[in-house]
Amino acid sequence: MKKEVINPNIRNFIVSLRDVGYTFDVAVADVLDNSIAAQASEIHIQMLEEPELIFCMLDNGNGMTTTELIEAMRLGTKNPNEARNKSDLGRFGLGLKTASFSQCKRLTVISKKNKKTSVRQWDLDYIADADEWILLAPSLTQLNSLPMLKKLKNQDSGTLIVWQGIDSVSKAELSSVITNLRRHLSLVFHQFLEGGPKQKAINIQINNNPLVPFNPFNINHPATQQLTNEKLKIGKSTITVQPYILPHHSKLSQQEYEEYATDEGYTRSQGFYLYRSRRLLIYGTWWGLHRANDAHKLVRIKIDITNDQDKHWGIDIKKSTASPIPEIKNDLKRIIRQVTEKGSRPYTGRGKKIEDKTTTKFWQLVPHDSGFRFILNQEHPLLEKLQDDLSGENRQLLDMYLKGLQAYLPLEAIQAQLQQNPYEVQQETLMTEEDIRELADKLKAAGLSEDAIKDLLKTEMFKNREGLLKGGH
């Protein structure tokens, strides 16, 4: 059989390699994984715009020898099916390279181990011109102007990663890019930032500002419900599932409510949060097992897996998409049913309050055919008095107006505003304390009977304001 070696067109291959689909945030997180795997306790990120846009990440991890560095710069340096250290957050041996290439044209890695510093560099323009995968080895003198290089020299060990020729973001975007990066890393690596039993907290800084961990389950709030966890077995591996129900907005300050909504909002942030070796991979998804809806927007279910379970979850190179195998989905469906029933109670429970028998409400919830309607309470004492005082024609006009008010209640707009801006809906301020006092004076002047006063004191506006109707303010 005749055989031929057909080398790829390297220039075209580079273009394809760079277009893997990384966002800036995801690319940085993928590179940061290597620092954590190297047992770093300090990770410093600097992103500067002058004289050129440059990104640097320095850790104090184990560092690499020259041989180890060259191997780390190799594409596909690891077999994805090989067993690895429990703390290793990689899999394909591509993360450092593909993540970096997606954002820049020159990747420089400087690493120190055993008091010796090694340097290697991929320059995609140089590779394209040479039409060969040539790994460069610049001298430290040539790189003297790089940020944080001096800091690395003063460390016992560690690695400095530098991106130059960045073309994924512009200088004009730098401020918003850094803000978004802080949010993303604070969420994705929150367990490392928090620390825990036998786990010392890692310090991650961006432009000298430490990251504050963002735990999406708001575990320290007393109104957060932590439901019973469950351990699932798949082969010899264990999956830990821990459901949470976040507090209703009435239990939170506006600032805290908005913080835990995340940039995606509560409705889009509901669902599963998949952690692999303590690192958050995927979040805010039901994997097609459940339809996202407002009633379950406070439900967030944490899933913890080890780094030997990737084949069960279909985790991609970027570690930003996954899909569990059918055997796991069956268990997850059952858990969804149990949790969403409890997760909707903060809303259904509050909805039932409109049927409170101890208060005479303006609105009532009444069954109709196979559904229900919101209607005005026709037995409200204020409405009854008004109807008694009106002529037949005016009473008929009032009835028609109230029917229209009920029929055209803007439910969709109300629902949207309550979901998106619950603290900005300020209906009760339409009736001031002065309005209520003025109404009380008019009603008293009309000469109310004891029974009439008793009925009015059950209404929303006069409840707990007995003095307004019984003389004296």
Side-chain angles (χ1 to χ4, degrees), residues 29-49:
D30 210 346
V31 173
L32 198 149
D33 286 341
N34 295 290
S35 296
I36 292 176
Q39 299 181 318
S41 60
E42 297 272 343
I43 302 170
H44 294 264
I45 294 171
Q46 279 195 10
M47 196 163 183
L48 309 171
E49 58 180 335

Side-chain angles (χ1 to χ4, degrees), residues 21 39 43 53 61 153 167 174 234 313 318 397 407 411 429:
Q39 299 181 318
I43 302 170
L53 200 57
K153 289 179 178 179
D167 52 8
L174 186 58
I234 183 79
W313 296 87
K318 303 188 300 296
L397 281 173
L411 290 173
T429 60

Side-chain angles (χ1 to χ4, degrees), residues 9-227:
N9 181 305
I10 291 182
R11 185 180 294 273
N12 293 343
F13 181 66
I14 287 172
V15 174
S16 300
L17 185 64
R18 299 193 69 203
D19 192 23
V20 179
Y22 280 95
T23 64
F24 188 84
D25 302 340
V26 171
V28 173
D30 210 346
V31 173
L32 198 149
D33 286 341
N34 295 290
S35 296
I36 292 176
Q39 299 181 318
S41 60
E42 297 272 343
I43 302 170
H44 294 264
I45 294 171
Q46 279 195 10
M47 196 163 183
L48 309 171
E49 58 180 335
E50 298 297 343
E52 64 166 353
L53 200 57
I54 188 169
F55 170 90
C56 304
M57 182 186 295
L58 172 66
D59 68 47
N60 66 345
N62 297 327
M64 292 175 280
T65 64
T66 300
T67 302
E68 290 169 336
L69 175 56
I70 292 171
E71 189 59 29
M73 296 295 272
R74 186 193 303 276
L75 272 71
T77 185
K78 292 180 181 178
N79 182 337
N81 297 318
E82 281 182 359
R84 58 197 59 219
N85 189 289
K86 290 182 179 181
S87 63
D88 192 343
L89 300 181
R91 181 189 173 198
F92 295 93
L94 288 169
L96 169 64
K97 285 76 68 175
T98 53
S100 300
F101 293 160
S102 72
Q103 306 301 314
C104 71
K105 291 189 173 182
R106 186 185 304 149
L107 164 65
T108 305
V109 181
I110 308 169
S111 197
K112 184 176 182 181
K113 186 174 184 179
N114 302 329
K115 297 183 179 181
K116 182 180 179 182
T117 302
S118 307
V119 183
R120 288 298 183 271
Q121 182 183 86
W122 283 122
D123 186 323
L124 296 184
D125 286 337
Y126 185 94
I127 291 169
D129 291 339
D131 199 30
E132 282 189 83
W133 284 100
I134 297 175
L135 183 63
L136 302 176
S139 67
L140 280 175
T141 306
Q142 291 174 283
L143 305 174
N144 247 349
S145 61
L146 290 180
M148 297 196 290
L149 178 56
K150 185 176 180 181
K151 186 176 175 66
L152 173 63
K153 289 179 178 179
N154 292 329
Q155 294 180 183
D156 292 333
S157 64
T159 299
L160 174 61
I161 294 168
V162 183
W163 292 349
Q164 292 169 289
I166 296 172
D167 52 8
S168 60
V169 298
S170 67
K171 290 184 179 182
E173 300 173 287
L174 186 58
S175 178
S176 62
V177 165
I178 290 174
T179 298
N180 292 336
L181 179 62
R182 290 184 66 84
R183 287 179 186 151
H184 184 72
L185 299 185
S186 294
L187 171 62
V188 169
F189 296 102
H190 75 86
Q191 291 199 57
F192 296 94
L193 293 163
E194 292 164 347
K198 300 181 182 179
Q199 300 286 348
K200 189 176 179 181
I202 292 176
N203 175 31
I204 303 175
Q205 298 189 14
I206 299 179
N207 287 355
N208 300 317
N209 291 317
L211 293 184
V212 177
F214 178 73
N215 188 315
F217 308 107
N218 201 357
I219 57 173
N220 293 322
H221 196 284
T224 296
Q225 298 178 55
Q226 180 174 326
L227 307 184

